[in-house]
Amino acid sequence: MKRFSKKITTAVFAGLAITLAASLPSQAQTLKVAVGAEPYPPMYYPDASGKWHGFEVDLAGLLCKTANLECETAPIAWDGIIPALTSGKIDMIMGSMSITAERQKKIDFSDKYYSIPPMIVGTKDIKFEPNAEGMADKTVGVQVSTIHQSYVEKHFVPKGATLKEYQTQDEANNDLAAGRLDAVMADAGAMADFLKTDVGQSCCDAKGNPAPDIEILGPGVGIGLRKGDDALREKMNAAIKTIRENGEYEALAKKYFTYDVFGD
């Protein structure tokens, strides 16, 4: 009788151990850090082998190392990137996502890790100011589901501008170079990179920065996180603070930019 009880007890504890182990997250779990699936240089872009590079890819690696986390890059189509986060397909977004009140209804954000103003680029054959009056009769290309789309809809379309949406920034830039658009609006860093290309240099020039609108443009770019994932947010905030203080952030930024990308 005692021997039988011991076998049952041993089996019960073994079963409990297996159940408990299955319920605990693996310490070696690799977190998926999403960027947009389309190239957005110099922030993120793939090489010929499919490996991703860029400021945000390198920054994600640095932050994860600082926070003692294992991370990998996960390209996700931009218009599906927030659903991918909320459904658990990915763990973080580091794809130039601006912190806005509208997005904060669905997800949380870390502290900002960069802040670059938007820029309007147009064809060289026309001159105009980057304001509502200057854009009144222009066809403006933007990437869909971005702050730039929202800005053009609010400030330029009511004054007579025509909005044209694209799935990727490359598609908008290509249509601009082909003369099918008068202008595009995107982050100044990405547009400056476009203007360095042979195509960009031949077709287009910078028209300037549109007026600030904190409600739409937000205070900067942060790491997108699931609501309630407070422990991960605190780790990433601490990592951002650490690399800002020890000089690693500045050293990395200098590899990609000749100006301050963090902002005030």
Side-chain angles (χ1 to χ4, degrees):
M1 186 71 176
K2 289 181 180 179
R3 185 179 300 172
F4 180 68
S5 298
K6 184 176 181 180
K7 286 182 178 179
I8 293 176
T9 303
T10 302
V12 169
F13 275 111
L16 286 173
I18 292 171
T19 302
L20 180 59
S23 67
L24 292 174
S26 170
Q27 295 300 310
Q29 179 185 4
T30 299
L31 301 181
K32 294 183 178 180
V33 184
V35 297
E38 64 285 339
Y40 197 63
M43 300 305 178
Y44 50 87
Y45 52 90
D47 62 20
S49 69
K51 184 177 180 180
W52 287 79
H53 304 272
F55 173 65
E56 285 182 285
V57 175
D58 289 351
L59 181 61
L62 178 58
L63 289 173
C64 287
K65 179 181 177 182
T66 302
N68 197 29
L69 298 170
E70 291 290 332
C71 300
E72 66 180 16
T73 302
I76 302 288
W78 183 255
D79 57 358
I81 205 166
I82 288 180
L85 177 65
T86 57
S87 68
K89 184 177 181 181
I90 57 174
D91 302 291
M92 293 183 276
I93 298 172
M94 285 190 69
S96 294
M97 181 167 281
S98 296
I99 303 165
T100 67
E102 187 63 29
R103 287 171 177 155
Q104 286 175 316
K105 295 176 183 178
K106 301 177 182 177
I107 64 174
D108 284 340
F109 283 94
S110 71
D111 296 337
K112 77 166 185 178
Y113 62 84
Y114 88 75
S115 180
I116 298 177
M119 177 188 288
I120 294 174
V121 169
T123 55
K124 288 182 176 179
D125 59 337
I126 54 176
K127 304 295 181 184
F128 58 88
E129 294 297 316
N131 55 34
E133 290 72 27
M135 304 293 288
D137 58 349
K138 308 297 186 295
T139 300
V140 188
V142 296
Q143 186 177 3
V144 68
S145 300
T146 62
I147 57 172
H148 311 294
Q149 176 182 350
S150 299
Y151 189 98
V152 172
E153 287 175 339
K154 176 180 177 180
H155 293 282
F156 299 156
V157 170
K159 296 293 185 178
T162 300
L163 174 68
K164 192 169 182 181
E165 302 168 13
Y166 295 85
Q167 288 300 310
T168 71
Q169 190 60 46
D170 273 352
E171 291 173 333
N173 293 347
N174 289 338
D175 263 12
L176 178 66
R180 290 187 284 269
L181 293 172
D182 298 310
V184 297
M185 178 172 162
D187 288 346
M191 296 318 300
D193 199 76
F194 167 68
L195 290 174
K196 293 177 183 176
T197 66
D198 291 341
V199 172
Q201 288 179 0
S202 64
C203 74
C204 310
D205 58 15
K207 305 303 183 183
N209 308 110
D213 183 337
I214 191 70
E215 180 182 349
I216 289 179
L217 302 178
V221 168
I223 302 169
L225 300 148
R226 276 186 293 277
K227 282 193 173 295
D229 207 346
D230 299 334
L232 182 56
R233 187 183 73 247
E234 289 172 5
K235 284 185 178 181
M236 300 312 287
N237 282 343
I240 292 170
K241 185 174 186 292
T242 295
I243 66 171
R244 285 282 295 161
E245 291 177 346
N246 67 17
E248 290 182 289
Y249 179 95
E250 184 178 4
L252 175 59
K254 284 183 176 179
K255 295 180 180 180
Y256 292 94
F257 310 102
T258 58
Y259 51 88
D260 175 27
V261 295
F262 191 81
D264 296 331

